[in-house]
Amino acid sequence: MNKKIVSPCISICKTDPLTGYCYGCARTNEEKKLWKDEKTTNFWKIKNLDQIASRMTGWQLDTFKESYDHKIKKGISLFKKELLNKKL
């Protein structure tokens, strides 16, 4: 059985019009579609995680890593957790 690879979406879903990369996860729209496709392999997802990390630097990379690690451990990104807490 394949272990599920957690999507890199950290709930900051805005695309940079110049690069075509999401500000939150640095994926293209096509990559986002592939993550949702059940036929996409774990091998591709792991490779894509490396690719998107290489697109980020500085605070963006630090913020992504912190939120993605939280999502892996707790099932929710830090940004989404904060949004839900504000609604309570």
Side-chain angles (χ1 to χ4, degrees):
M1 183 174 154
N2 285 340
K3 182 180 176 192
K4 185 177 186 315
I5 308 294
V6 176
S7 165
C9 177
I10 59 169
S11 303
I12 302 172
C13 303
K14 301 278 185 223
T15 301
D16 181 330
L18 297 177
T19 65
Y21 299 142
C22 176
Y23 288 122
C25 66
R27 292 182 295 167
T28 64
N29 288 334
E30 185 60 31
E31 289 167 334
K32 290 176 185 181
K33 290 176 190 172
L34 286 168
W35 271 89
K36 292 178 181 180
D37 187 336
E38 63 187 36
K39 296 175 189 161
T40 301
T41 65
N42 282 349
F43 177 80
W44 182 89
K45 290 177 180 182
I46 291 167
K47 183 178 171 189
N48 187 243
L49 284 170
D50 288 338
Q51 289 172 324
I52 65 174
S54 74
R55 295 174 186 158
M56 295 182 253
T57 59
W59 65 266
Q60 183 187 23
L61 180 58
D62 294 342
T63 301
F64 170 77
K65 285 181 176 181
E66 181 182 10
S67 193
Y68 186 59
D69 286 345
H70 189 273
K71 183 177 178 180
I72 290 169
K73 292 174 186 164
K74 306 286 185 177
I76 188 171
S77 72
L78 288 174
F79 185 77
K80 194 167 198 175
K81 179 182 175 187
E82 188 66 29
L83 286 176
L84 292 174
N85 286 340
K86 286 180 181 180
K87 289 181 179 179
L88 296 178

Coordinates of all heavy atoms in Angstrom, one line a residue:
M1 N 0.8 -1.2 0.0 CA 0.0 0.0 0.0 C 0.9 1.2 0.0 O 1.8 1.3 0.8 CB -0.9 0.0 1.2 CG -1.9 1.1 1.3 SD -2.9 0.9 2.7 CE -3.4 2.5 3.0
N2 N 0.6 2.2 -0.9 CA 1.3 3.4 -0.9 C 0.9 4.4 0.2 O -0.2 4.6 0.4 CB 1.1 4.1 -2.3 CG 1.8 3.4 -3.4 OD1 2.8 2.7 -3.2 ND2 1.4 3.7 -4.6
K3 N 1.9 5.0 0.8 CA 1.7 6.0 1.8 C 1.2 7.3 1.1 O 1.8 7.7 0.1 CB 2.9 6.3 2.6 CG 2.8 7.3 3.7 CD 4.0 7.5 4.4 CE 3.8 8.6 5.4 NZ 5.0 9.1 6.0
K4 N 0.2 7.9 1.6 CA -0.3 9.1 1.0 C 0.7 10.3 1.2 O 1.1 10.5 2.3 CB -1.7 9.5 1.6 CG -2.3 10.7 1.0 CD -3.7 10.9 1.6 CE -4.5 11.9 0.9 NZ -4.0 13.2 0.6
I5 N 1.0 11.0 0.2 CA 1.8 12.2 0.3 C 0.9 13.4 0.4 O 0.0 13.6 -0.4 CB 2.7 12.4 -1.0 CG1 3.5 11.1 -1.3 CG2 3.6 13.5 -0.9 CD1 4.5 10.7 -0.4
V6 N 1.1 14.2 1.5 CA 0.3 15.3 1.8 C 0.5 16.4 0.7 O 1.6 16.8 0.4 CB 0.6 15.8 3.2 CG1 -0.3 17.1 3.5 CG2 0.3 14.7 4.2
S7 N -0.6 17.0 0.3 CA -0.6 18.1 -0.7 C 0.2 19.2 -0.1 O 0.0 19.6 1.0 CB -2.0 18.5 -1.1 OG -2.0 19.7 -1.7
P8 N 1.0 19.9 -0.9 CA 1.7 21.1 -0.5 C 0.9 22.3 -0.3 O 1.4 23.4 0.1 CB 2.8 21.3 -1.5 CG 2.3 20.7 -2.7 CD 1.4 19.5 -2.3
C9 N -0.4 22.3 -0.6 CA -1.3 23.4 -0.5 C -1.3 23.9 1.0 O -1.6 23.1 1.9 CB -2.7 23.1 -0.9 SG -3.8 24.5 -0.7
I10 N -1.0 25.2 1.2 CA -1.0 25.7 2.6 C -2.1 26.8 2.7 O -2.0 27.6 3.6 CB 0.4 26.2 3.0 CG1 0.9 27.3 2.1 CG2 1.4 25.1 3.2 CD1 2.2 28.0 2.7
S11 N -3.1 26.7 1.8 CA -4.3 27.6 1.9 C -4.0 29.0 1.6 O -4.8 29.9 2.1 CB -5.0 27.4 3.2 OG -5.3 26.0 3.4
I12 N -3.0 29.3 0.9 CA -2.7 30.7 0.4 C -2.8 30.6 -1.1 O -1.7 30.5 -1.8 CB -1.3 31.2 0.9 CG1 -1.3 31.2 2.4 CG2 -1.1 32.6 0.4 CD1 0.1 31.6 3.0
C13 N -3.9 30.6 -1.6 CA -4.1 30.2 -3.0 C -4.3 31.5 -3.9 O -5.4 31.8 -4.3 CB -5.4 29.3 -3.2 SG -5.2 27.8 -2.2
K14 N -3.2 32.1 -4.2 CA -3.1 33.2 -5.1 C -2.0 33.0 -6.1 O -0.9 32.7 -5.6 CB -2.9 34.5 -4.3 CG -3.9 34.9 -3.3 CD -5.1 35.5 -3.9 CE -6.1 35.9 -2.9 NZ -7.5 35.7 -3.1
T15 N -2.2 33.2 -7.3 CA -1.2 33.0 -8.3 C -0.5 34.3 -8.7 O -1.1 35.3 -9.0 CB -1.8 32.3 -9.6 OG1 -2.4 31.1 -9.2 CG2 -0.7 32.0 -10.6
D16 N 0.8 34.2 -8.7 CA 1.6 35.4 -9.2 C 1.5 35.5 -10.7 O 1.8 34.5 -11.4 CB 3.1 35.1 -8.8 CG 4.0 36.3 -9.3 OD1 3.7 36.9 -10.3 OD2 5.1 36.4 -8.6
P17 N 1.0 36.6 -11.2 CA 0.7 36.7 -12.6 C 2.0 36.7 -13.5 O 1.9 36.4 -14.7 CB 0.0 38.0 -12.8 CG 0.3 38.8 -11.5 CD 0.6 37.8 -10.5
L18 N 3.1 37.0 -12.9 CA 4.4 37.0 -13.7 C 5.0 35.6 -13.8 O 5.4 35.2 -14.9 CB 5.4 38.0 -13.0 CG 5.0 39.4 -13.0 CD1 6.1 40.3 -12.3 CD2 4.8 40.0 -14.4
T19 N 5.0 34.9 -12.7 CA 5.7 33.6 -12.7 C 4.7 32.4 -13.0 O 5.1 31.4 -13.5 CB 6.4 33.3 -11.4 OG1 5.4 33.2 -10.4 CG2 7.4 34.3 -11.0
G20 N 3.4 32.6 -12.7 CA 2.4 31.5 -12.8 C 2.5 30.6 -11.6 O 1.8 29.6 -11.6
Y21 N 3.3 30.9 -10.6 CA 3.4 30.1 -9.4 C 2.5 30.6 -8.3 O 2.3 31.8 -8.1 CB 4.8 30.1 -8.8 CG 5.8 29.5 -9.8 CD1 7.1 30.1 -9.8 CD2 5.6 28.4 -10.6 CE1 8.1 29.5 -10.7 CE2 6.5 27.9 -11.5 CZ 7.8 28.5 -11.5 OH 8.7 28.0 -12.4
C22 N 1.9 29.7 -7.5 CA 1.1 30.1 -6.3 C 2.0 30.7 -5.3 O 3.1 30.3 -5.0 CB 0.4 28.8 -5.8 SG -0.5 29.1 -4.3
Y23 N 1.5 31.8 -4.7 CA 2.3 32.5 -3.6 C 2.6 31.6 -2.4 O 3.6 31.7 -1.8 CB 1.6 33.8 -3.2 CG 1.7 34.9 -4.2 CD1 0.5 35.5 -4.6 CD2 2.8 35.4 -4.6 CE1 0.5 36.5 -5.6 CE2 2.9 36.5 -5.5 CZ 1.7 37.0 -6.0 OH 1.7 38.1 -6.9
G24 N 1.6 30.7 -2.1 CA 1.7 29.9 -1.0 C 2.6 28.6 -1.2 O 3.5 28.4 -0.3
C25 N 2.3 27.9 -2.2 CA 3.0 26.6 -2.4 C 3.9 26.6 -3.6 O 4.6 25.6 -3.8 CB 2.0 25.5 -2.5 SG 1.0 25.6 -4.0
A26 N 4.0 27.6 -4.4 CA 4.9 27.7 -5.6 C 4.6 26.7 -6.7 O 5.4 26.4 -7.5 CB 6.3 27.7 -5.2
R27 N 3.3 26.2 -6.7 CA 2.9 25.3 -7.8 C 2.3 26.0 -8.9 O 1.7 27.1 -8.7 CB 2.0 24.2 -7.3 CG 2.6 23.2 -6.3 CD 1.6 22.2 -5.9 NE 0.5 22.8 -5.1 CZ -0.7 22.2 -4.8 NH1 -0.9 20.9 -5.2 NH2 -1.6 22.8 -4.2
T28 N 2.3 25.5 -10.1 CA 1.6 26.0 -11.2 C 0.2 25.4 -11.2 O -0.1 24.4 -10.4 CB 2.2 25.5 -12.6 OG1 2.1 24.1 -12.7 CG2 3.6 26.0 -12.7
N29 N -0.7 26.0 -11.9 CA -2.1 25.4 -11.9 C -2.1 24.0 -12.4 O -2.9 23.2 -12.0 CB -3.0 26.3 -12.8 CG -3.3 27.6 -12.1 OD1 -3.3 27.7 -10.9 ND2 -3.6 28.7 -12.9
E30 N -1.3 23.7 -13.4 CA -1.2 22.3 -13.9 C -0.7 21.3 -12.8 O -1.2 20.2 -12.7 CB -0.3 22.3 -15.1 CG -0.2 20.9 -15.8 CD -1.6 20.4 -16.3 OE1 -2.4 21.2 -16.7 OE2 -1.8 19.2 -16.3
E31 N 0.3 21.8 -12.1 CA 0.8 20.9 -11.0 C -0.3 20.7 -9.9 O -0.5 19.6 -9.4 CB 2.0 21.5 -10.3 CG 3.2 21.5 -11.2 CD 4.4 22.3 -10.8 OE1 4.2 23.3 -10.0 OE2 5.5 22.0 -11.1
K32 N -1.1 21.7 -9.6 CA -2.2 21.6 -8.7 C -3.2 20.5 -9.2 O -3.7 19.7 -8.4 CB -2.9 22.9 -8.5 CG -2.1 23.9 -7.7 CD -2.9 25.2 -7.7 CE -2.0 26.3 -7.0 NZ -2.7 27.6 -6.9
K33 N -3.5 20.5 -10.5 CA -4.4 19.5 -11.0 C -3.8 18.1 -10.9 O -4.5 17.2 -10.6 CB -4.7 19.8 -12.5 CG -5.5 21.1 -12.7 CD -5.7 21.4 -14.2 CE -6.3 22.7 -14.4 NZ -6.3 23.1 -15.8
L34 N -2.5 18.0 -11.2 CA -1.9 16.7 -11.1 C -1.9 16.1 -9.7 O -2.0 14.9 -9.5 CB -0.4 16.7 -11.6 CG -0.3 16.8 -13.1 CD1 1.1 17.2 -13.5 CD2 -0.8 15.5 -13.8
W35 N -1.8 17.0 -8.7 CA -1.8 16.6 -7.3 C -3.2 16.0 -6.9 O -3.3 15.0 -6.1 CB -1.5 17.7 -6.3 CG -0.1 17.8 -6.0 CD1 0.8 18.6 -6.7 CD2 0.6 17.2 -5.0 NE1 2.1 18.4 -6.2 CE2 2.0 17.6 -5.1 CE3 0.3 16.3 -4.0 CZ2 3.0 17.1 -4.2 CZ3 1.3 15.9 -3.1 CH2 2.6 16.2 -3.2
K36 N -4.3 16.5 -7.6 CA -5.6 16.0 -7.3 C -6.0 14.7 -8.1 O -6.9 14.0 -7.8 CB -6.6 17.0 -7.6 CG -6.6 18.2 -6.6 CD -7.6 19.3 -7.0 CE -7.4 20.4 -6.0 NZ -8.3 21.5 -6.3
D37 N -5.2 14.4 -9.1 CA -5.4 13.3 -10.0 C -5.0 12.0 -9.3 O -3.8 11.9 -8.9 CB -4.6 13.4 -11.3 CG -4.9 12.4 -12.3 OD1 -5.4 11.3 -12.0 OD2 -4.7 12.6 -13.5
E38 N -5.9 11.1 -9.1 CA -5.6 9.8 -8.4 C -4.6 9.0 -9.1 O -4.0 8.1 -8.5 CB -6.9 9.0 -8.1 CG -7.6 8.6 -9.4 CD -8.9 7.9 -9.1 OE1 -9.6 8.3 -8.2 OE2 -9.2 6.9 -9.8
K39 N -4.3 9.2 -10.4 CA -3.3 8.5 -11.1 C -1.9 9.0 -11.0 O -0.9 8.3 -11.4 CB -3.7 8.4 -12.6 CG -5.0 7.7 -12.9 CD -5.4 7.9 -14.4 CE -6.8 7.3 -14.6 NZ -7.3 7.8 -15.8
T40 N -1.8 10.2 -10.4 CA -0.4 10.7 -10.2 C 0.3 9.9 -9.1 O -0.2 9.6 -8.0 CB -0.5 12.2 -9.7 OG1 -1.3 12.9 -10.7 CG2 0.8 12.8 -9.5
T41 N 1.5 9.6 -9.5 CA 2.3 8.7 -8.6 C 3.0 9.4 -7.4 O 3.2 10.6 -7.5 CB 3.5 8.0 -9.4 OG1 4.4 9.0 -9.8 CG2 2.9 7.2 -10.6
N42 N 3.3 8.7 -6.4 CA 4.0 9.3 -5.3 C 5.4 9.7 -5.7 O 5.9 10.7 -5.2 CB 4.2 8.3 -4.1 CG 2.9 8.1 -3.3 OD1 1.9 8.9 -3.5 ND2 2.8 7.1 -2.5
F43 N 6.0 9.0 -6.6 CA 7.3 9.4 -7.2 C 7.3 10.8 -7.7 O 8.1 11.7 -7.4 CB 7.8 8.4 -8.2 CG 9.1 8.8 -8.8 CD1 10.3 8.5 -8.2 CD2 9.1 9.4 -10.1 CE1 11.5 8.9 -8.8 CE2 10.3 9.8 -10.7 CZ 11.5 9.5 -10.0
W44 N 6.2 11.1 -8.5 CA 6.1 12.4 -9.1 C 5.8 13.5 -8.0 O 6.4 14.5 -8.1 CB 4.9 12.4 -10.1 CG 4.8 13.8 -10.8 CD1 5.4 14.2 -11.9 CD2 4.0 14.9 -10.3 NE1 5.0 15.5 -12.2 CE2 4.2 16.0 -11.2 CE3 3.2 15.1 -9.2 CZ2 3.6 17.2 -11.0 CZ3 2.6 16.3 -9.0 CH2 2.8 17.4 -9.9
K45 N 5.0 13.1 -7.0 CA 4.7 14.1 -6.0 C 6.0 14.4 -5.2 O 6.2 15.6 -4.9 CB 3.6 13.5 -5.1 CG 2.3 13.5 -5.7 CD 1.2 12.9 -4.8 CE -0.1 12.8 -5.5 NZ -1.2 12.3 -4.6
I46 N 6.8 13.5 -4.9 CA 8.0 13.7 -4.1 C 9.0 14.6 -4.9 O 9.5 15.5 -4.4 CB 8.7 12.4 -3.7 CG1 7.8 11.7 -2.6 CG2 10.1 12.6 -3.2 CD1 8.2 10.2 -2.4
K47 N 9.1 14.3 -6.2 CA 9.9 15.1 -7.1 C 9.3 16.5 -7.2 O 10.1 17.5 -7.2 CB 9.9 14.4 -8.5 CG 10.8 15.1 -9.5 CD 10.8 14.4 -10.8 CE 11.6 15.2 -11.9 NZ 11.4 14.7 -13.2
N48 N 8.0 16.7 -7.3 CA 7.4 18.0 -7.4 C 7.6 18.8 -6.1 O 7.8 20.0 -6.1 CB 5.9 17.9 -7.7 CG 5.3 19.2 -7.9 OD1 4.4 19.6 -7.2 ND2 5.7 19.9 -9.0
L49 N 7.6 18.1 -4.9 CA 7.9 18.8 -3.7 C 9.3 19.4 -3.7 O 9.5 20.6 -3.2 CB 7.8 17.9 -2.5 CG 6.3 17.5 -2.1 CD1 6.4 16.4 -1.0 CD2 5.6 18.7 -1.5
D50 N 10.2 18.7 -4.3 CA 11.6 19.3 -4.4 C 11.6 20.4 -5.4 O 12.3 21.4 -5.1 CB 12.6 18.2 -4.9 CG 12.9 17.2 -3.8 OD1 12.7 17.5 -2.6 OD2 13.3 16.1 -4.2
Q51 N 10.9 20.3 -6.5 CA 10.8 21.4 -7.5 C 10.2 22.7 -6.9 O 10.8 23.7 -7.1 CB 10.0 20.9 -8.7 CG 10.6 19.9 -9.5 CD 9.7 19.4 -10.6 OE1 8.5 19.2 -10.4 NE2 10.3 19.1 -11.8
I52 N 9.1 22.5 -6.2 CA 8.5 23.7 -5.7 C 9.3 24.4 -4.6 O 9.4 25.6 -4.5 CB 7.0 23.5 -5.2 CG1 6.9 22.6 -4.0 CG2 6.2 23.0 -6.4 CD1 5.5 22.4 -3.4
A53 N 10.0 23.6 -3.8 CA 10.9 24.1 -2.7 C 12.0 24.9 -3.4 O 12.5 25.9 -2.9 CB 11.4 23.0 -1.8
S54 N 12.5 24.4 -4.6 CA 13.6 25.1 -5.2 C 13.1 26.5 -5.8 O 14.0 27.3 -6.2 CB 14.2 24.2 -6.3 OG 13.3 24.1 -7.5
R55 N 11.8 26.7 -6.0 CA 11.3 27.9 -6.5 C 11.2 29.0 -5.4 O 11.0 30.2 -5.8 CB 9.9 27.7 -7.1 CG 9.9 26.8 -8.3 CD 8.5 26.5 -8.8 NE 8.6 25.5 -9.8 CZ 7.5 24.7 -10.1 NH1 6.4 24.8 -9.5 NH2 7.7 23.8 -11.1
M56 N 11.3 28.6 -4.2 CA 11.2 29.6 -3.1 C 12.5 29.9 -2.4 O 13.4 29.1 -2.4 CB 10.2 29.0 -2.0 CG 8.8 28.7 -2.5 SD 7.8 28.1 -1.2 CE 7.6 26.4 -1.7
T57 N 12.6 31.0 -1.8 CA 13.8 31.4 -1.1 C 13.3 32.2 0.2 O 12.2 32.7 0.2 CB 14.7 32.3 -1.9 OG1 14.0 33.5 -2.3 CG2 15.3 31.6 -3.1
G58 N 14.2 32.4 1.1 CA 14.0 33.3 2.2 C 12.8 33.0 3.0 O 12.4 31.9 3.3
W59 N 12.0 34.1 3.4 CA 10.9 33.9 4.2 C 9.8 33.1 3.6 O 9.1 32.4 4.3 CB 10.3 35.3 4.6 CG 9.8 36.1 3.4 CD1 10.4 37.0 2.7 CD2 8.5 36.0 2.9 NE1 9.6 37.5 1.7 CE2 8.4 36.9 1.8 CE3 7.3 35.2 3.2 CZ2 7.3 37.0 1.0 CZ3 6.2 35.4 2.4 CH2 6.2 36.2 1.3
Q60 N 9.7 33.1 2.3 CA 8.6 32.3 1.6 C 8.9 30.9 1.8 O 8.0 30.1 2.2 CB 8.5 32.6 0.1 CG 7.4 31.8 -0.5 CD 7.4 32.0 -2.1 OE1 8.4 32.2 -2.7 NE2 6.2 31.7 -2.7
L61 N 10.1 30.4 1.7 CA 10.5 29.0 1.9 C 10.3 28.7 3.4 O 9.8 27.6 3.7 CB 11.9 28.8 1.4 CG 12.4 27.3 1.5 CD1 11.6 26.4 0.8 CD2 13.9 27.3 1.0
D62 N 10.8 29.5 4.2 CA 10.7 29.3 5.7 C 9.2 29.1 6.1 O 8.8 28.2 6.8 CB 11.3 30.4 6.5 CG 12.8 30.5 6.3 OD1 13.4 29.5 5.8 OD2 13.4 31.5 6.6
T63 N 8.4 30.0 5.6 CA 6.9 30.0 6.0 C 6.3 28.7 5.4 O 5.5 28.1 6.1 CB 6.2 31.2 5.4 OG1 6.8 32.4 6.0 CG2 4.7 31.2 5.7
F64 N 6.6 28.4 4.1 CA 6.1 27.2 3.5 C 6.4 26.0 4.3 O 5.6 25.1 4.7 CB 6.5 27.0 2.1 CG 6.2 25.7 1.5 CD1 4.9 25.5 1.1 CD2 7.1 24.7 1.4 CE1 4.5 24.2 0.6 CE2 6.8 23.4 0.9 CZ 5.4 23.2 0.5
K65 N 7.7 25.8 4.7 CA 8.2 24.6 5.4 C 7.5 24.5 6.7 O 7.0 23.4 7.1 CB 9.7 24.7 5.6 CG 10.5 24.4 4.3 CD 12.0 24.4 4.6 CE 12.8 24.0 3.4 NZ 14.2 24.0 3.7
E66 N 7.4 25.6 7.5 CA 6.7 25.6 8.8 C 5.3 25.2 8.7 O 4.8 24.3 9.4 CB 6.8 27.0 9.4 CG 6.2 27.0 10.8 CD 6.3 28.4 11.4 OE1 6.7 29.4 10.8 OE2 5.9 28.5 12.6
S67 N 4.5 25.8 7.7 CA 3.1 25.5 7.5 C 2.9 24.1 7.0 O 2.0 23.4 7.4 CB 2.5 26.5 6.6 OG 1.1 26.4 6.7
Y68 N 3.8 23.6 6.0 CA 3.6 22.3 5.5 C 3.9 21.2 6.5 O 3.2 20.2 6.6 CB 4.5 22.1 4.3 CG 4.3 20.8 3.5 CD1 3.1 20.5 3.0 CD2 5.4 20.0 3.3 CE1 2.9 19.3 2.3 CE2 5.2 18.8 2.7 CZ 4.0 18.4 2.2 OH 3.8 17.2 1.5
D69 N 5.0 21.4 7.3 CA 5.3 20.5 8.4 C 4.1 20.4 9.4 O 3.7 19.3 9.9 CB 6.5 20.9 9.2 CG 7.8 20.7 8.4 OD1 7.8 19.9 7.4 OD2 8.9 21.2 8.8
H70 N 3.5 21.5 9.7 CA 2.3 21.6 10.6 C 1.2 20.8 10.0 O 0.5 20.0 10.7 CB 1.9 23.0 10.9 CG 0.9 23.1 12.0 ND1 -0.5 23.0 11.7 CD2 1.0 23.3 13.3 CE1 -1.2 23.1 12.8 NE2 -0.3 23.3 13.8
K71 N 1.0 21.0 8.7 CA -0.1 20.3 8.0 C 0.1 18.8 8.0 O -0.8 18.0 8.2 CB -0.2 20.8 6.5 CG -1.3 20.1 5.7 CD -1.4 20.7 4.4 CE -2.5 20.1 3.6 NZ -2.6 20.6 2.2
I72 N 1.4 18.3 7.8 CA 1.7 16.9 7.9 C 1.4 16.3 9.2 O 0.8 15.2 9.4 CB 3.2 16.6 7.5 CG1 3.3 16.9 6.0 CG2 3.6 15.2 7.8 CD1 4.8 17.0 5.5
K73 N 1.8 17.0 10.3 CA 1.6 16.5 11.7 C 0.2 16.7 12.2 O -0.3 15.8 12.9 CB 2.6 17.3 12.6 CG 4.0 17.0 12.3 CD 5.0 17.8 13.2 CE 6.4 17.6 12.8 NZ 7.3 18.6 13.2
K74 N -0.5 17.8 11.9 CA -1.8 18.1 12.5 C -2.9 18.0 11.5 O -4.1 18.2 11.9 CB -1.7 19.5 13.1 CG -0.6 19.7 14.1 CD -0.9 19.0 15.4 CE 0.2 19.4 16.4 NZ 0.0 18.8 17.7
G75 N -2.7 17.9 10.2 CA -3.7 17.8 9.2 C -4.3 19.1 8.7 O -5.3 19.1 8.0
I76 N -3.7 20.2 9.1 CA -4.2 21.5 8.7 C -3.0 22.5 8.6 O -2.1 22.4 9.5 CB -5.3 22.1 9.7 CG1 -5.9 23.3 9.2 CG2 -4.7 22.2 11.1 CD1 -7.1 23.8 10.0
S77 N -3.0 23.3 7.6 CA -1.9 24.3 7.5 C -2.0 25.4 8.6 O -3.1 25.6 9.1 CB -1.9 25.0 6.1 OG -3.0 25.8 6.0
L78 N -1.0 26.0 8.9 CA -1.0 27.1 9.9 C -1.9 28.3 9.5 O -2.7 28.8 10.3 CB 0.4 27.7 10.2 CG 1.3 26.7 11.0 CD1 2.7 27.3 11.1 CD2 0.8 26.4 12.4
F79 N -1.9 28.6 8.2 CA -2.7 29.7 7.7 C -4.2 29.3 7.9 O -5.0 30.2 8.3 CB -2.4 30.0 6.2 CG -3.1 31.1 5.7 CD1 -2.7 32.4 6.0 CD2 -4.2 31.0 4.8 CE1 -3.4 33.5 5.4 CE2 -4.9 32.0 4.3 CZ -4.5 33.3 4.6
K80 N -4.6 28.1 7.5 CA -6.0 27.7 7.6 C -6.4 27.6 9.1 O -7.5 28.0 9.4 CB -6.2 26.4 6.9 CG -7.6 26.0 6.7 CD -7.7 24.9 5.7 CE -9.1 24.8 5.1 NZ -9.2 23.8 4.1
K81 N -5.5 27.2 9.9 CA -5.8 27.1 11.4 C -6.1 28.5 11.9 O -7.0 28.7 12.6 CB -4.6 26.5 12.1 CG -4.8 26.4 13.6 CD -3.5 25.8 14.2 CE -3.7 25.8 15.7 NZ -2.5 25.4 16.4
E82 N -5.3 29.5 11.5 CA -5.4 30.8 11.9 C -6.8 31.4 11.4 O -7.5 32.1 12.2 CB -4.3 31.7 11.4 CG -4.3 33.1 12.0 CD -4.0 33.2 13.5 OE1 -3.4 32.3 14.0 OE2 -4.5 34.1 14.1
L83 N -7.1 31.1 10.2 CA -8.4 31.6 9.7 C -9.6 31.0 10.5 O -10.6 31.7 10.8 CB -8.6 31.2 8.2 CG -7.8 32.0 7.2 CD1 -8.0 31.4 5.8 CD2 -8.1 33.4 7.2
L84 N -9.5 29.7 10.8 CA -10.6 29.1 11.5 C -10.7 29.6 12.9 O -11.8 29.8 13.5 CB -10.4 27.5 11.6 CG -10.5 26.8 10.2 CD1 -10.1 25.3 10.4 CD2 -12.0 26.9 9.7
N85 N -9.5 29.9 13.6 CA -9.5 30.5 14.9 C -10.2 31.8 14.9 O -10.8 32.2 15.9 CB -8.1 30.5 15.5 CG -7.6 29.2 15.9 OD1 -8.3 28.2 16.1 ND2 -6.3 29.1 16.0
K86 N -10.0 32.6 13.9 CA -10.6 34.0 13.8 C -12.1 33.9 13.7 O -12.8 34.8 14.1 CB -10.0 34.7 12.6 CG -8.6 35.2 12.8 CD -8.1 36.0 11.7 CE -6.6 36.4 11.9 NZ -6.1 37.2 10.7
K87 N -12.6 32.8 13.1 CA -14.0 32.7 12.9 C -14.7 32.3 14.2 O -15.9 32.4 14.3 CB -14.4 31.7 11.8 CG -14.0 32.2 10.4 CD -14.4 31.2 9.4 CE -14.0 31.7 8.0 NZ -14.3 30.7 7.0
L88 N -14.0 31.7 15.2 CA -14.6 31.2 16.4 C -14.9 32.3 17.4 O -14.7 33.4 17.5 CB -13.6 30.2 17.1 CG -13.4 29.0 16.3 CD1 -12.4 28.1 17.1 CD2 -14.7 28.2 16.1

